[in-house]
Amino acid sequence: MEPRGDVYDRNCPTRVIANHATGQWGSLVLGKLLGGDGESGTKRFGELRRAVTGISEKMLAQTLQALERDGLVHREVHPVIPPRVDYSLTPLGAHAAGRIVGLFGWIEENLPNFMAAQEEYDARRAENV
């Protein structure tokens, strides 16, 4: 059996994979590829670009490449003109995306609590200035 990785060790490759999957763009791309119905969906590059607002084409391309290299995303090129490329989650990617989407849902449900905490923090900081 392969040894388990240690994401807290800066020399362990798990840290790079964790950064790809949980970074700002990676987590959003994985979430969008999972789909709202809990089933993995296939999306084209342009669909992902529109679904993950704020991401540049270059950053989306780099993110998809990193997620594909890590085995989280499958890239399928169709031999048609013009070329068509579809992206979908691998089983590993679907599992990771499910966890990420669960966290996103929890954050969305608790938004009022986060906003209140930020307001309290900002008020304390303003008093100490």
Side-chain angles (χ1 to χ4, degrees), residues 67-129:
L67 294 173
E68 181 185 7
R69 183 172 186 267
D70 292 339
L72 299 170
V73 168
H74 173 73
R75 179 178 183 263
E76 184 175 357
V77 180
H78 299 278
V80 295
I81 297 178
R84 184 175 136 205
V85 181
D86 291 328
Y87 296 91
S88 60
L89 294 173
T90 64
L92 200 59
H95 188 85
R99 291 172 178 254
I100 289 167
V101 167
L103 176 61
F104 286 171
W106 178 82
I107 291 169
E108 290 169 347
E109 289 170 10
N110 285 282
L111 181 60
N113 297 325
F114 292 119
M115 299 303 293
Q118 290 174 358
E119 288 175 16
E120 288 175 26
Y121 176 87
D122 292 345
R124 283 193 315 270
R125 296 281 298 183
E127 289 173 6
N128 295 329
V129 173

Side-chain angles (χ1 to χ4, degrees), residues 18-35:
N19 285 337
H20 293 160
T22 63
Q24 178 182 7
W25 301 120
S27 61
L28 295 173
V29 167
L30 289 172
K32 281 299 179 180
L33 283 173
L34 184 65

